Amino acid sequence: MAYTVSNLTDYSAPALEKAAAECTAACIVEAGAVRSEADLKAFRDRWLGRKSGILTQINDLWLKGAPKEAKRDAGMLVNELKTRITEIFERAKVEAEVRVVVSGVQSQVAVGTAGTIAVAESVDISLPGIRRPIGAEHPVVKTSKEIVSVFQKLGYSVAEGPVVETDYYNFEALNFPPNHPARDTQDTLFIAGQQSKPQRERLLLRTHTSPVQIRTMEKLRPPIRIVIPGKVHRNDPPDASHSPMFHQIEGLAVDTNITFGDLKGTLDHAMKALFGSSVKTHFRPSYFPFTEPSAELYVTCFICGGSGKRGSDPCRPCKQTGWIEVLGCGMVDPNVFEFVKDNGYDPKKVSGFAFGMGVDRLALLKYGVDDIQLFFQGDVRFLQQFG
Ligand code: DAH
């Protein structure tokens, strides 16, 4: 039965000692049952609560109710009980904390005859703790987030799609017909054992983030403005500037009356936001099956400022040209809209622009890293530098 404070009538030394021992024993047993923060709080309220805790009751019943001649002894007893119960509480508190920290190590609390708490298996809390090093954001993730946030401020949303993709989304719906030579530019890694399926259902590792353009247009009606960060794969042997796995950010804006002027203005703004307001942009004609016309965007080299030189040395990142290619872009080809026409993308009514950039390459340039492999080797000494 739970311990309750009874009235004291006998104030002789043995009687006082007996009452104190009963109280302490009960307190120790209850402390041993504390398993959680909530238990600990309940224990504290029950024993040390100011208004009606057991110590307060003892003070009221045993001390205030004591006859004059017994007051001194009763006072000493109550004080001693106060010290003991507070000690027991403090130990229970440490025990509870240890139990939380070392979950799995079940501490067996046993009550010794002298009223001490013996801990069979415990943790020496005076030992120095294990320092958990704070991780650093990976430079590629950091760069990706920076780029995404520039577009989010322009009202773009973020979309994502699968890394294992079908031929349909990676190629066909992006206007790469079966056997089209442009497929060869993509160095695709195919998933094995797909030959029995129709070509458009065959699986591969997506070679670009562009398939998410189609996936998003299937789900959302125009107007849309999205950016798509993600991992892509190509059958490139690893070297200082190639990796079979890398990262891209895709962008797509579709509405009525989107023009090439919108494309240029948006990307010029984004490049200035990313690389500083003094960079200049420059578009050169290019070819992608899913955009027409298509272009490559160059920015003035942010290493040499466009001069092609670093002091008297040639600037390597821009190969002395003063310009760095950052992305591919163009106006969405009407043939692409044909694949999602039923969801409101009638090429006669809507137009749009798209772009895609390699994040890893930008991170290399931004941080002056000369080997892309360093990003993926997981060497903490390298990664710590970006903390
Ligand atoms: N998907 C292209 C690639 O990986 C990059 C690209 C170019 C994306 C032009 C686009 C675009 O959206 O309009 O080579």
Side-chain angles (χ1 to χ4, degrees), residues 186 207-210 213 234 246 248-251 288 290-291 294-295 327-331 353-357:
Q186 301 269 320
T207 57
H208 49 180
T209 40
S210 308
Q213 289 190 24
R234 293 204 192 172
F246 58 103
Q248 290 190 334
I249 292 183
E250 188 86 10
F288 301 101
F290 39 91
T291 43
S294 304
L327 55 80
C329 58
M331 301 305 291
F353 66 77
F355 57 88
M357 62 187 111

Side-chain angles (χ1 to χ4, degrees), residues 64-338:
K64 289 188 188 153
K68 227 182 188 168
E69 65 282 8
K71 275 247 186 307
R72 209 179 100 91
D73 286 350
M76 274 164 52
L77 177 92
V78 169
N79 272 342
E80 203 179 305
L81 272 177
K82 201 179 213 164
T83 313
R84 276 207 225 163
I85 290 173
T86 310
E87 265 175 22
I88 295 167
F89 167 73
E90 288 302 334
R91 283 193 203 197
K93 189 168 151 191
V94 171
E95 279 291 320
E97 277 166 5
V98 169
R99 224 172 266 124
V100 170
V101 174
V102 199
S103 54
V105 178
Q106 271 294 335
S107 300
Q108 295 282 325
V109 180
V111 182
T113 42
T116 54
I117 299 177
V119 180
E121 188 176 5
S122 64
V123 171
D124 182 350
I125 59 161
S126 67
L127 286 172
I130 298 165
R131 194 182 289 271
R132 302 242 172 254
I134 297 176
E137 201 163 45
H138 192 283
V140 172
V141 174
K142 205 162 159 174
T143 307
S144 178
K145 282 190 178 170
E146 274 171 29
I147 300 170
V148 166
S149 87
V150 166
F151 287 94
Q152 279 181 315
K153 285 182 193 131
L154 293 175
Y156 283 63
S157 321
V158 178
E160 286 182 319
V163 175
V164 178
E165 192 46 283
T166 60
D167 184 284
Y168 177 77
Y169 288 110
N170 198 77
F171 291 125
E172 194 179 332
L174 288 166
N175 198 32
F176 293 79
N179 303 318
H180 192 281
R183 288 182 173 224
D184 295 347
T185 63
Q186 301 269 320
D187 301 309
T188 312
L189 289 161
F190 295 94
I191 305 283
Q194 303 286 302
Q195 288 79 355
S196 61
K197 293 183 182 167
Q199 176 156 8
R200 55 166 55 181
E201 287 169 28
R202 291 184 198 164
L203 297 174
L204 44 81
L205 294 181
R206 71 175 176 195
T207 57
H208 49 180
T209 40
S210 308
V212 190
Q213 289 190 24
I214 306 294
R215 288 184 174 275
T216 311
M217 288 192 284
E218 283 178 349
K219 284 200 209 93
L220 305 176
R221 297 176 70 82
I224 57 166
R225 278 150 183 73
I226 49 164
V227 274
I228 306 151
K231 260 188 187 35
V232 302
H233 292 80
R234 293 204 192 172
N235 185 17
D236 282 330
D239 64 23
S241 52
H242 294 87
S243 162
M245 185 282 299
F246 58 103
H247 301 80
Q248 290 190 334
I249 292 183
E250 188 86 10
L252 175 69
V254 183
D255 206 333
T256 48
N257 291 323
I258 296 248
T259 67
F260 201 84
D262 296 317
L263 162 66
K264 287 185 82 171
T266 304
L267 292 180
D268 185 72
H269 164 82
M271 295 305 121
K272 289 187 162 74
L274 283 172
F275 304 120
S277 55
S278 59
V279 300
K280 292 199 182 76
T281 53
H282 158 81
F283 292 78
R284 291 186 199 168
S286 185
Y287 171 77
F288 301 101
F290 39 91
T291 43
E292 182 61 33
S294 304
E296 266 149 15
L297 171 62
Y298 286 74
V299 296
T300 39
C301 177
F302 34 85
I303 312 289
C304 67
S307 68
K309 286 211 162 69
R310 290 175 89 177
S312 54
D313 294 333
C315 179
R316 275 209 294 158
C318 66
K319 301 192 185 93
Q320 304 181 59
T321 63
W323 293 97
I324 289 186
E325 185 204 328
V326 279
L327 55 80
C329 58
M331 301 305 291
V332 179
D333 192 304
N335 288 347
V336 171
F337 286 137
E338 287 293 337

